[in-house]
Amino acid sequence: MDAGCPRLPDTVLFEIFLYLDHADVLSVGLVCQQWRAVARDEFLWKELFYRYYRVSRDVPRHPGAVSWYDEFQRLYDTIPCVEVQALKEHNDQVLHLSFSHSGCLFASCSKDCTVKIWSNELDISLQHSSNMRPYNWSYTQFSQFNSDDSLLLVSGVFVGPHNSSSGEIAVISMENFTLLSRVRNKPYDVFGCWLNETNLISGNLHRIGRITSCSVLWLNNAFQGIESENVNVVKRLFKIQNLNASTIRTVMVADCSRYDSPDLLLDYEEQLAASSSCPVFDLGSDSEEEEAKPKLPPEPAVQELPDAGGVPAEHGLQQLFDDIMEGRVRPAMTETELETKVAELFVRNRTKPPEPNLLPTDSNSKTKYLIFTTGCLTYSPHQIGIKRILPHQMTTAGPVLGEERRSDEFFDSLDHVIDIHGHIIGMGLSPDHRYLYVNSRAWPRDCVISDPMQPPPIAEEIDLHVFDLKTMKEVKRALRAHRAYTPNEECFFIFLDVSRDFVASGAEDRHGYIWDRHYNICLAKLQHDNVVNSVAFSPVEQELLLTASDDTTIKVWRSPRAVRIRQARRPRPRKLLFSWLMNQKS
């Protein structure tokens, strides 16, 4: 082919043949002779783009694109879909991958109970491996670099007395790979995350009843060895009641400072958000909350408690007990229903109200959101909770138990809740923290949850939802392509990652997947020999992607363009014959 011709897939060339009425042409060279004219034909490339990628015609061109030809070139030449290396240093399932912010390093966690640090150079190489078995860990499951890449948070499953399992977080120095501190973390799938350079968030769980509990989120100093009466190493952030066997899991922090200048705006379908099938509601509004809940079985005939201005919650609780003792509750409540009702009545007058004006009002806002999975109907995570972190809460300074609480503010309320109506199995933030991407497996549309210990069956298809954290609304339609097969009780987290233009996710169907964020189309499937648990884009080079699998390997994927560039940069070895002749002359 002519050197001046672009590197197009055969399927694209065939589309060009059809469009130019050259279906009888057998030589690609004839197309190349007309290339200068064809390459300038915007109408041609627009038609080819919509046909080849099957994009709806009401979707506009990417805002950063100069022409439709450039978009064609971007989507076939810059997707990290070429396997260039397979890393096999782990000897068990690889569960998670995370890049440093500089892109120079990445970490991997595995069922072999090690966390490995890799150097991202021309060829990726292992730099360090830490074995966590001496600390009674079963395996490592998650890692995250702090903002200046000086510390690494590693989360794992800790085996306690009598083989009870909980979680633990370790902090490792990147200067000399020494272990700086360890923090308990319960349940283990809270994972943990950094709030700032030196403070991390962990969780604890206190059982109140059989299906009622209290989650406490703690702010911890990474340097637990500090010796000062004026500096705490830990401080309580929030205390939240859990109903119906639910717990807080998968915490992450979103920084709101860049909401007015995102890398990519996803607003061409914002008008569809209002009719989204995924309800979004604010806990400050009772009417919206009721509308958003899935249909429940009829409530037992218990006296309804009026809101503010009516009977206080304490009187309502006493009234419920009196009604039960005197047989006025019909039909009889089960033990589970009674526990839930009592917990709801107790917490009604023991909860601090949500923060007003949740949405940031200016681009210089220092507001941060704590984001986590939770629920209200069953133990499987089916809601996303959002809690604003105020500036004075971002340090361990002050009383260990946080600000003083009145008796009527025993628990913290959530500032916002997003109901997914399905089992959440993954979450990830866009690089600008404007959008939240959520992997979920949907429940049946009209399902009824009568027992919190028996959640509805979940779909094999994984839905990838997108939420705008500035408006708290779902944008675009849910993406589909990847699948999962495990039932509720065995369901596990599948980590996703988001770059400037792409979003990638693992799946249980032995593939990783890549979608374009603007066009909402699946661009590539990346094959493994077993479940793909995690994916990670380089934060400085979105044409580099890592995938981790149960097949014990980490695969390195680069775009066709990056492969050509890197091959051109490699020094070419001198031919043996030429070297022999030169030696003979000398």
Side-chain angles (χ1 to χ4, degrees):
M1 184 178 286
D2 191 308
C5 290
R7 298 171 179 266
L8 293 178
D10 292 342
T11 49
V12 178
L13 291 173
F14 182 68
E15 291 278 1
I16 295 175
F17 292 158
L18 293 179
Y19 189 82
L20 296 178
D21 199 21
H22 285 303
D24 59 328
V25 177
L26 300 179
S27 173
V28 176
L30 293 180
V31 175
C32 294
Q33 292 172 10
Q34 302 180 17
W35 183 249
R36 291 185 181 277
V38 171
R40 304 297 179 184
D41 191 337
E42 271 290 277
F43 178 76
L44 163 66
W45 286 106
K46 181 177 180 180
E47 290 298 309
L48 288 177
F49 188 92
Y50 283 126
R51 289 174 59 180
Y52 183 74
Y53 289 109
R54 299 178 181 178
V55 177
S56 172
R57 291 181 179 272
D58 60 354
V59 177
R61 194 173 68 195
H62 189 289
V66 176
S67 67
W68 283 105
Y69 169 67
D70 287 341
E71 276 300 85
F72 226 122
Q73 190 174 37
R74 178 178 74 86
L75 292 189
Y76 74 71
D77 210 24
T78 66
I79 309 302
C81 57
V82 180
E83 181 184 341
V84 296
Q85 197 172 355
L87 309 174
K88 301 181 179 180
E89 280 77 355
H90 283 291
N91 55 35
D92 208 335
Q93 302 170 4
V94 189
L95 302 180
H96 185 257
L97 299 164
S98 65
F99 266 101
S100 64
H101 294 82
S102 67
C104 296
L105 302 171
F106 70 87
S108 59
C109 295
S110 169
K111 280 288 185 73
D112 65 13
C113 207
T114 66
V115 55
K116 298 186 186 299
I117 314 298
W118 307 79
S119 177
N120 180 25
E121 298 175 347
L122 191 62
D123 283 320
I124 291 171
S125 59
L126 180 63
Q127 187 169 347
H128 176 78
S129 179
S130 292
N131 182 11
M132 301 303 293
R133 289 203 191 278
Y135 305 101
N136 290 331
W137 283 30
S138 294
Y139 57 88
T140 60
Q141 60 175 353
F142 175 83
S143 66
Q144 185 182 49
F145 289 84
N146 70 341
S147 57
D148 64 3
D149 294 335
S150 62
L151 303 173
L152 179 68
L153 176 155
V154 182
S155 173
V157 176
F158 173 86
V159 179
H162 309 294
N163 292 324
S164 63
S165 63
S166 183
E168 193 167 87
I169 296 171
V171 178
I172 298 175
S173 168
M174 287 295 96
E175 182 179 1
N176 50 18
F177 303 112
T178 56
L179 181 64
L180 299 179
S181 59
R182 292 159 57 202
V183 176
R184 288 296 172 88
N185 190 39
K186 185 178 180 181
Y188 60 82
D189 50 2
V190 168
F191 295 121
C193 67
W194 291 104
L195 177 62
N196 49 44
E197 289 183 5
T198 58
N199 292 290
L200 59 101
I201 296 173
S202 66
N204 200 358
L205 183 67
H206 303 282
R207 293 291 177 187
I208 299 175
R210 190 175 71 89
I211 59 169
T212 308
S213 63
C214 172
S215 288
V216 181
L217 297 172
W218 294 91
L219 184 64
N220 307 268
N221 195 302
F223 303 95
Q224 297 281 309
I226 292 176
E227 294 182 2
S228 171
E229 61 183 15
N230 298 319
V231 179
N232 295 322
V233 295
V234 64
K235 185 176 77 172
R236 186 176 66 195
L237 267 180
F238 304 117
K239 188 174 184 179
I240 298 169
Q241 189 195 44
N242 305 310
L243 301 175
N244 289 321
S246 65
T247 61
I248 286 178
R249 315 177 191 189
T250 319
V251 297
M252 60 178 59
V253 172
D255 187 343
C256 308
S257 60
R258 290 189 57 198
Y259 281 9
D260 288 337
S261 56
D263 297 326
L264 178 66
L265 273 174
L266 307 179
D267 61 353
Y268 68 85
E269 284 184 337
E270 280 186 353
Q271 68 274 15
L272 299 180
S275 59
S276 168
S277 61
C278 178
V280 180
F281 59 88
D282 191 329
L283 281 185
S285 171
D286 292 335
S287 60
E288 291 179 351
E289 178 180 358
E290 292 303 319
E291 291 174 2
K293 287 184 178 178
K295 294 180 180 179
L296 296 174
E299 286 286 331
V302 179
Q303 180 181 355
E304 291 294 326
L305 300 177
D307 292 327
V311 179
E314 296 95 331
H315 297 170
L317 190 58
Q318 184 61 51
Q319 183 68 52
L320 174 63
F321 290 150
D322 292 343
D323 289 344
I324 293 174
M325 295 301 295
E326 296 177 16
R328 292 198 295 266
V329 176
R330 292 289 185 271
M333 281 185 171
T334 65
E335 182 181 342
T336 297
E337 291 169 337
L338 177 60
E339 181 179 327
T340 300
K341 178 61 70 175
V342 170
E344 289 175 342
L345 290 169
F346 176 79
V347 78
R348 180 179 298 183
N349 204 39
R350 292 289 185 273
T351 301
K352 185 178 180 180
E355 296 290 343
N357 303 321
L358 173 65
L359 303 181
T361 56
D362 61 87
S363 58
N364 296 320
S365 172
K366 295 182 179 180
T367 298
K368 292 186 178 182
Y369 293 154
L370 183 64
I371 301 172
F372 46 84
T373 62
T374 183
C376 64
L377 302 174
T378 180
Y379 70 82
S380 65
H382 55 277
Q383 293 178 325
I384 298 168
I386 299 176
K387 184 69 181 172
R388 183 164 60 179
I389 305 175
L390 301 176
H392 74 274
Q393 296 173 313
M394 298 184 190
T395 172
T396 55
V400 172
L401 296 181
E403 58 192 75
E404 290 190 18
R405 294 165 179 259
R406 303 196 307 266
S407 61
D408 60 346
E409 294 183 351
F410 188 79
F411 296 109
D412 294 289
S413 62
L414 305 186
D415 296 325
H416 202 83
V417 172
I418 300 172
D419 197 303
I420 300 297
H421 195 71
H423 193 129
I424 299 170
I425 60 170
M427 294 198 302
L429 289 165
S430 60
D432 52 27
H433 288 202
R434 171 71 181 265
Y435 299 98
L436 177 67
Y437 287 73
V438 181
N439 268 335
S440 75
R441 296 173 62 184
W443 291 338
R445 183 180 299 273
D446 297 319
C447 65
V448 173
I449 302 175
S450 56
D451 183 351
M453 304 309 295
Q454 295 182 356
I458 50 180
E460 289 187 352
E461 295 84 5
I462 302 175
D463 293 329
L464 183 52
H465 301 274
V466 190
F467 296 94
D468 187 341
L469 293 179
K470 184 175 182 180
T471 63
M472 295 296 169
K473 295 181 179 179
E474 185 172 10
V475 293
K476 295 186 175 291
R477 58 178 174 81
L479 299 173
R480 272 191 176 180
H482 47 332
R483 302 176 72 87
Y485 309 108
T486 51
N488 268 305
E489 62 275 10
E490 301 175 16
C491 203
F492 54 87
F493 218 68
I494 293 178
F495 294 93
L496 58 92
D497 197 23
V498 190
S499 70
R500 185 188 67 240
D501 295 311
F502 309 128
V503 55
S505 175
E508 291 185 41
D509 58 12
R510 302 182 179 184
H511 288 87
Y513 290 81
I514 304 175
W515 294 265
D516 183 82
R517 293 178 60 196
H518 177 74
Y519 296 108
N520 259 32
I521 52 175
C522 185
L523 298 171
K525 291 176 64 175
L526 313 175
Q527 187 166 5
H528 272 268
D529 294 330
N530 211 322
V531 172
V532 178
N533 295 306
S534 179
V535 296
F537 285 102
S538 166
V540 296
E541 184 187 1
Q542 68 173 354
E543 295 179 40
L544 167 61
L545 178 71
L546 307 174
T547 55
S549 171
D550 278 359
D551 63 15
T552 76
T553 65
I554 301 170
K555 288 190 177 183
V556 184
W557 308 83
R558 295 189 183 275
S559 69
R561 181 176 70 174
V563 170
R564 292 197 304 272
I565 293 173
R566 294 173 75 85
Q567 287 175 344
R569 289 177 179 172
R570 289 179 181 271
R572 295 184 178 181
R574 303 171 72 183
K575 293 183 178 180
L576 293 178
L577 178 61
F578 180 75
S579 300
W580 180 81
L581 289 173
M582 293 300 293
N583 290 333
Q584 293 298 312
K585 287 184 178 181
S586 61

